[in-house]
Amino acid sequence: MSTTIATSHNFPPAPPRNKRLSIGIIGSGNWGTAIAKICGENARAHGNHFRSKVRMWVFEEEIEYKGEKRKLTEIFNETHENVKYLPGIPCPSNILAIPDVREVTRKSDVLVFVVPHQFVDRVCEQMKGFVRPNAVAISCIKGVAVNKQGVKLYSEYITERLGIYCGVLSGANVANEVAREDFCETTIGYNPDLGTSVSAEMMVALFDRPYFSVAAVKDVAGVALGGALKNIVSMAVGFADGLEWGGNTKSAIMRRGLLEMQKFATMFFDSDPRTMVEQSCGIADLVTSCLGGRNNRCAEAFVKTGKSLQQLEKELLGGQVLQGAATAADVHELLTSRDLVKEFPLFTTVYRIAYEGMKPEGMIQVLQPPVEESENEFTTETNDD
């Protein structure tokens, strides 16, 4: 039985013209601009559902452009291209770059969050008091906040700060590939049973494109956790790449990792375990990350070069945080506080390799079933009688 509640095949009926939704994008990095491009295309394509103008909040900065210093918003509104964060990709002309997040907020029925997770609190604080009464939100922010007290989704943060319902979008979605319109799938976690003012079908209509296939499920936590926990597994596969282990071994790591992702989601959120295996936010995102994402690359370099993860962050990620290692540390703190470390051997092993000096070769022990102390079941006994 599928967990899907809405896809592009059950397109919503057209609402009255005065009920068309206004869309606001909160964020304008490469992923934010790619999402804005999708929403801009759909706002034009489905005029009965959405108002044409899509407002994108852009953190204002001056950049060098054609020999002079100019504001990024002015360049975007003139060229319809984010020349700093998504160069070479033309965006629809109905997307308007706006430097004031409050203006975007007060003019939007659907707020799409695509900001780095460390800025969520700060941005929401600026938005307070400007949110429309029946507005809803979608978080495209990958990751979750984990500490020994528990696990919190960034969609929950947004709901708490702004008092509006917030769903989640996550999947095997590399921003530059999406912007180039390479085909991919994604998953929206959205529970209409909680009394949201916008249907799941309408949310799918906002994001679904011929190159961006969207399915919606009610399991918001499962969608969010898939995008966070897969980074730990990606590091494990990266360690295997560094050791030059073969495809069979790496497939075994992915399978074990997927099981631990399911177990974590069901243990802490009562998530539907099918989400991880049926939806892009689970198995597809996991495979994509393990085949060459930043966590995979850094973990491979960690084994081959002997450099610290902190040094590799600077060299390979420009100082950005290595999410797999950070998430492994946060998850380990939670599991330790709940005496659950033994329940998640692969997650624990990644943490120990990254932070406690465990040799990566020791990971193979995690893949082997435990040896039972009981008598070997294959021993043949003889009866002399």
Side-chain angles (χ1 to χ4, degrees), residues 87-348:
I89 301 296
C91 291
S93 59
N94 59 322
I95 301 173
L96 181 64
I98 295 177
D100 186 351
V101 70
R102 295 167 297 183
E103 180 181 347
V104 176
T105 304
R106 67 184 177 85
K107 292 184 177 179
S108 300
D109 300 302
V110 180
L111 294 162
V112 184
F113 282 79
V114 208
V115 294
H117 66 86
Q118 61 267 33
F119 299 135
V120 172
D121 280 342
R122 188 187 314 171
V123 171
C124 285
E125 191 61 33
Q126 297 177 58
M127 297 170 68
K128 278 184 180 179
F130 295 90
V131 180
R132 289 184 172 183
N134 293 319
V136 299
I138 286 288
S139 169
C140 301
I141 305 165
K142 288 212 174 173
V144 292
V146 187
N147 54 42
K148 62 184 178 182
Q149 278 75 44
V151 188
K152 180 165 284 189
L153 314 179
Y154 288 113
S155 58
E156 292 178 326
Y157 270 109
I158 292 166
T159 293
E160 289 176 3
R161 300 303 187 274
L162 301 180
I164 59 176
Y165 179 79
C166 185
V168 174
L169 182 149
S170 184
N173 308 142
V174 177
N176 290 340
E177 294 180 15
V178 173
R180 293 197 306 263
E181 302 187 6
D182 295 349
F183 179 82
C184 69
E185 299 174 315
T186 200
T187 313
I188 291 176
Y190 193 82
N191 191 346
D193 296 344
L194 298 180
T196 64
S197 59
V198 178
S199 69
E201 289 81 8
M202 189 71 88
M203 279 299 181
V204 169
L206 176 59
F207 293 100
D208 190 83
R209 297 295 296 158
Y211 59 89
F212 196 67
S213 181
V214 181
V217 299
K218 291 183 179 180
D219 185 11
V220 176
V223 175
L225 286 166
L229 299 176
K230 53 93 178 179
N231 290 326
I232 304 177
V233 185
S234 178
M235 286 200 68
V237 174
F239 294 145
D241 282 325
L243 294 167
E244 299 185 356
W245 289 350
N248 293 340
T249 309
K250 289 184 285 187
S251 295
I253 293 171
M254 289 186 217
R255 187 185 74 84
R256 297 295 180 90
L258 182 63
L259 292 176
E260 292 194 15
M261 289 166 61
Q262 284 180 308
K263 188 174 186 177
F264 189 95
T266 55
M267 182 177 291
F268 291 100
F269 280 94
D270 195 28
S271 171
D272 189 332
R274 294 172 298 177
T275 300
M276 296 290 184
V277 295
E278 292 184 3
Q279 302 297 334
S280 179
C281 61
I283 182 66
D285 201 8
L286 172 65
V287 171
T288 297
S289 296
C290 290
L291 291 181
R294 66 178 63 176
N295 294 283
N296 175 278
R297 296 194 306 273
C298 286
E300 180 180 2
F302 176 77
V303 175
K304 288 186 173 180
T305 67
K307 295 179 180 179
S308 69
L309 290 175
Q310 292 81 0
Q311 183 63 31
L312 292 169
E313 282 179 338
K314 294 177 182 177
E315 293 181 4
L316 301 181
L317 304 182
Q320 290 182 338
V321 174
L322 184 60
Q323 291 295 340
T327 304
D330 291 340
V331 166
H332 187 73
E333 180 183 24
L334 173 63
L335 297 178
T336 301
S337 71
R338 305 289 177 90
D339 196 24
L340 293 170
V341 169
K342 291 182 179 179
E343 297 287 328
F344 297 89
L346 185 64
F347 288 177
T348 299

Side-chain angles (χ1 to χ4, degrees), residues 56 72-82 91 95 97:
M56 177 174 68
L72 188 57
T73 54
E74 293 177 356
I75 299 170
F76 182 90
N77 290 332
E78 179 183 304
T79 66
H80 311 299
E81 178 185 344
N82 190 331
C91 291
I95 301 173

Side-chain angles (χ1 to χ4, degrees), residues 5-62:
I5 59 170
T7 69
S8 57
H9 302 296
N10 49 353
F11 199 77
R17 293 289 292 186
N18 62 348
K19 296 293 184 181
R20 291 180 301 158
L21 300 176
S22 294
I23 310 304
I25 312 297
I26 308 300
S28 58
N30 64 341
W31 183 220
T33 306
I35 286 292
K37 175 178 178 292
I38 287 170
C39 293
E41 291 169 352
N42 279 328
R44 276 183 168 174
H46 310 308
N48 286 335
H49 294 82
F50 308 109
R51 296 190 180 278
S52 178
K53 185 181 294 183
V54 172
R55 296 172 178 87
M56 177 174 68
W57 172 59
V58 176
F59 180 78
E60 191 67 280
E61 53 188 312
E62 286 194 346

